[in-house]
Amino acid sequence: MADRPEGQNKPRLALHVPEPKFRPGDKADFSHIDIGEPGKMPRPDEACEAKDTLPLCYDLIRVLGDDDKAHGPWNPKLDPDTLRTMLQHFSTVRAFDERMFRGQRQGKTSFYMKCTGEEATSISAAMALASDDMVFPSYRQQGVLIARGYPLLEMINQIYSNKGDKLKGRQLPIMYSSRDHSFFSISGNLATQTPQAVGWAMASAIKGDSRIAATWVGEGSTAEGDFHSACTFATVYNAPVILNVINNQWAISSFSGFAGAERTTFAARALGYGLAGLRVDGNDPLAVYAAEQWAANRARANAGPTLIEHFTYRAEGHSTSDDPSGYRSAQEREEWPLGDPVTRLKDHLIALGEWDEDRQAAMDKEAAEHVKATTKEAEKNGILGHGLHHPFRTMFQDVYEDLPWHLEEQAAQAKREREIKWPGEEPWS
Amino acid sequence: MIEAINEALDVMMARDPDVIVMGEDVGYFGGVFRCTAGLQEKHGKTRVFDTPISECGIIGVAVGMGAYGLRPVPEIQFADYIYPGLDQLISEAARLRYRSACDYIAPMTVRSPFGGGIFGGQTHSQSPEAIFTHVAGLKTVIPATPYDAKGLLISAIEDNDPVIFFEPKRIYNGPFSGYYDKPVEPWKKHRDSVVPEGYYKIPLGKARTVTEGEQITVLAYGTMVHVAEAVCAEKGVEADILDLRTMMPLDIEAIEASVKKTGKCMIVHEATRTSGFGAELSALVQERCFYHLEAPIERVTGFDTPYPHSLEWAYFPGPVRLGEAIDRLLSE
């Protein structure tokens, strides 16, 4: 570095490197987080100016209280059947995550990612949308597929990359795609789906359609340039889109401070772009539903896009390849002040006199058995690396609409290799 | 060529209500090169519109529009500025059909002026085609004449795969011989400047024979087609000059047939040499025409430096560099 004159009598600059409050072995204490009283936040008109949402960007919209009852203007007043349906989806996704995680440990697939603790941010949000609203998820919104009735068998086939896999074994497990369920193809590249969702919403507006788009992105990925582009385009064109930011506090081993959380909220970013911003208790299924519904109504009325920060906690490791005990306190999960979304919804239904522990136990058992039976069904199509995959030729298809000459040649090469390796067998099987 | 591109866009917007044109300054103003002039007035603000200065955003929203069912034609003002959009092009547009097993496609055409010869310096002169030809799932197209520009652009817009459509801005207004000190000849004197009205297509993946000859094969595209033609004419060389027109898919049959006829091959491009598209062409010719080759394959390219401003004509692969290569080929 260049020499600089001495004696200028200026303070030495200091680089700030964020550090999470708790590391392995520390006692976790979340008393610094102001979670606010359920029911206290106002619910502005859905067509309000973006800047009118300022108070909602720094506090938390909460509906369910410690008394397990719904409070305040954000209470979506869902009927018990809808609440039970939501609970059923929760139960299913939790059973599914457990089973698939175990499947990875048993070597049936290479990889899995759970959404434990974040079930409301996908299921409750998806239930507030129309079934043909287009969703652009990240990799932790399996709850959207389950809420939309996508067959578990298809999900497991994809995870096992077997011959039943609709994506023909081309994608890493959990990178689902289902056009029939208005569920966009998941990419490994973070935040790329956010401007795509805005573009889809712009297209819907260009064509005078009534469908809206919603996208999900983790708080860590909001640091990507694509997220900035998405917010800019959304506001410039008043796109009918909802940007869901799932702030689960952790991006693999990096705490949310590395995405900017030490000095502001993620919802507050909305205001700088001119988006409406909402910050919700992401473990409160009613609050998540209500916020998503508010944003959907706003988008549908051409009143503009909304950014929703879902304040939640990633209860498990990042993926089957991650061990969170290497970077965070094991106590965090139990100390998390917003509890567990599944328990909170269950307790609410019980408080309403519409549910009980026995029925919950039966529901959980049924979900586990359903997942188990479906897993067995999927295994008939094969598990990863056991030969029951799509024909080799499919590797070369769909790169382009038509197979160009060089891929024809490379496919012929692959065929020859198969014939050398397994003489006498059908080379394309 | 500008008018031909404008006509192609106009024709396709009239034919297909799902065609959308967008990019920086393309709307009201009609584009910094006038390629989109008049389109917004004719087709409306929701079909031709200006965008924020964000290449990643432009390509990203185009992918989303394609997923909806539109056929977007985004413009990147200069190819030198396409890099912020590369993740969306390489990781998303190129892979969408494959990774979703045809659930979703990206039927978009990214138009972008490219190439040097205009004192554009480092960031208005680059030829980054090799970045895109290396990406499975993308098609790359470069026209060299107004007639081709219109026909190829219409094909690109109708194609269901994502197409990178590079427009050599040196020849927007007229062909270029490589003699930068001579006055520019306008397109109207050129045989390929006659552009039919209305709809017509030139298929992707087919090269154009510029001149026929027995002595050498020249593989070129964009501006360099005209430079090669002028140099061969000047030297009295009877060359089989192929204007490749599309890098991907490549017209390998035309290349093979020509090199097997002449036995000598010169590959010409403005882009830097190392790992340029010429290396792929050279490897293909060597693999497929080995026993017909009578001389080492010549690659005439830009140097492996960033594109300079003041020394542009020392950098540009002009008549001297082409002439030397031709002499080497003919001396074998």
Side-chain angles (χ1 to χ4, degrees), chain A residues 134 166 170 177 179 183 185 187 189 192 195-196 199 207 209 226 229 237 395 397-398 400-401 405 409, chain B residues 18 50-51 54 56 64-65 68 87-88 91-92 97-99 101-104 137-138 160-161 250 288:
Chain A
M134 186 71 187
K166 290 212 155 135
R170 292 172 182 157
S177 172
R179 189 178 180 86
F183 187 96
S185 156
S187 170
N189 296 64
T192 51
Q196 293 165 0
K207 300 304 275 187
D209 198 343
D226 292 66
S229 297
Y237 301 103
M395 171 164 60
Q397 292 165 344
D398 305 333
Y400 299 93
E401 186 172 33
W405 63 266
E409 288 189 358
Chain B
D18 292 334
D50 296 312
T51 63
S54 167
C56 132
M65 288 175 175
Y68 179 92
D87 190 34
Q88 286 287 346
S91 309
E92 303 295 317
R97 176 193 294 279
Y98 190 77
R99 79 173 194 228
C102 297
D103 257 358
Y104 300 98
L138 293 180
N160 286 326
D161 292 315
L250 186 67
R288 304 169 95 90

Side-chain angles (χ1 to χ4, degrees), chain B residues 168-190:
Chain B
K169 57 187 167 304
R170 183 64 180 80
I171 57 172
Y172 262 155
N173 293 309
F176 179 58
S177 66
Y179 287 95
Y180 54 91
D181 40 2
K182 289 184 185 165
V184 178
E185 229 179 51
W187 272 117
K188 63 181 177 214
K189 292 187 179 171
H190 192 276

Side-chain angles (χ1 to χ4, degrees), chain A residues 195-410:
Chain A
Q196 293 165 0
V198 174
W200 194 98
M202 289 168 67
S204 188
I206 287 167
K207 300 304 275 187
D209 198 343
S210 60
R211 291 176 292 167
I212 64 169
T215 184
W216 280 255
V217 67
E219 93 285 347
S221 305
T222 64
E224 294 281 6
D226 292 66
F227 184 72
H228 167 67
S229 297
C231 292
T232 303
F233 278 68
T235 199
V236 165
Y237 301 103
N238 204 45
V241 66
I242 305 169
L243 302 156
N244 292 290
V245 174
I246 309 302
N247 177 6
N248 66 12
Q249 316 302 321
W250 290 94
I252 308 186
S253 74
S254 302
F255 87 114
S256 57
F258 283 99
E262 284 186 323
R263 288 170 177 77
T264 187
T265 68
F266 294 96
R269 293 185 181 177
L271 300 173
Y273 289 102
L275 307 170
L278 303 175
R279 190 163 183 264
V280 299
D281 174 350
N283 290 17
D284 178 342
L286 299 188
V288 169
Y289 185 100
E292 200 77 12
Q293 189 180 46
W294 187 94
N297 290 343
R298 179 178 176 84
R300 257 184 254 289
N302 282 313
T306 303
L307 188 161
I308 304 174
E309 174 185 351
H310 300 262
F311 194 70
T312 182
Y313 184 76
R314 194 193 77 208
E316 297 268 0
H318 167 71
S319 71
T320 48
S321 308
D322 179 45
D323 174 11
S325 73
Y327 51 79
R328 71 184 188 185
S329 166
Q331 263 202 326
E332 281 194 10
R333 180 176 177 174
E334 60 198 75
E335 291 297 321
W336 181 246
L338 298 173
D340 176 80
V342 182
T343 308
R344 285 174 72 185
L345 183 61
K346 178 198 73 175
D347 291 346
H348 175 55
L349 267 164
I350 292 172
L352 290 174
E354 294 285 348
W355 200 240
D356 58 56
E357 294 288 359
D358 288 346
R359 287 161 83 182
Q360 181 68 39
M363 178 189 267
D364 288 343
K365 186 161 178 277
E366 195 187 337
E369 281 171 0
H370 174 50
V371 170
K372 188 178 174 187
T374 313
T375 306
K376 296 272 178 242
E377 190 65 25
E379 285 178 12
K380 289 180 191 162
N381 294 323
I383 56 175
L384 183 68
H386 281 241
L388 290 173
H389 43 63
H390 276 268
F392 264 49
R393 190 175 174 78
T394 61
M395 171 164 60
F396 301 96
Q397 292 165 344
D398 305 333
V399 178
Y400 299 93
E401 186 172 33
D402 302 312
L403 216 59
W405 63 266
H406 68 288
L407 286 179
E408 286 283 5
E409 288 189 358
Q410 289 168 28

Side-chain angles (χ1 to χ4, degrees), chain A residues 154-168:
Chain A
E154 303 292 1
M155 294 175 78
I156 303 171
N157 283 338
Q158 198 281 328
I159 289 165
Y160 286 172
S161 274
N162 61 23
K163 69 181 170 72
D165 176 11
K166 290 212 155 135
L167 305 183
K168 303 183 181 177

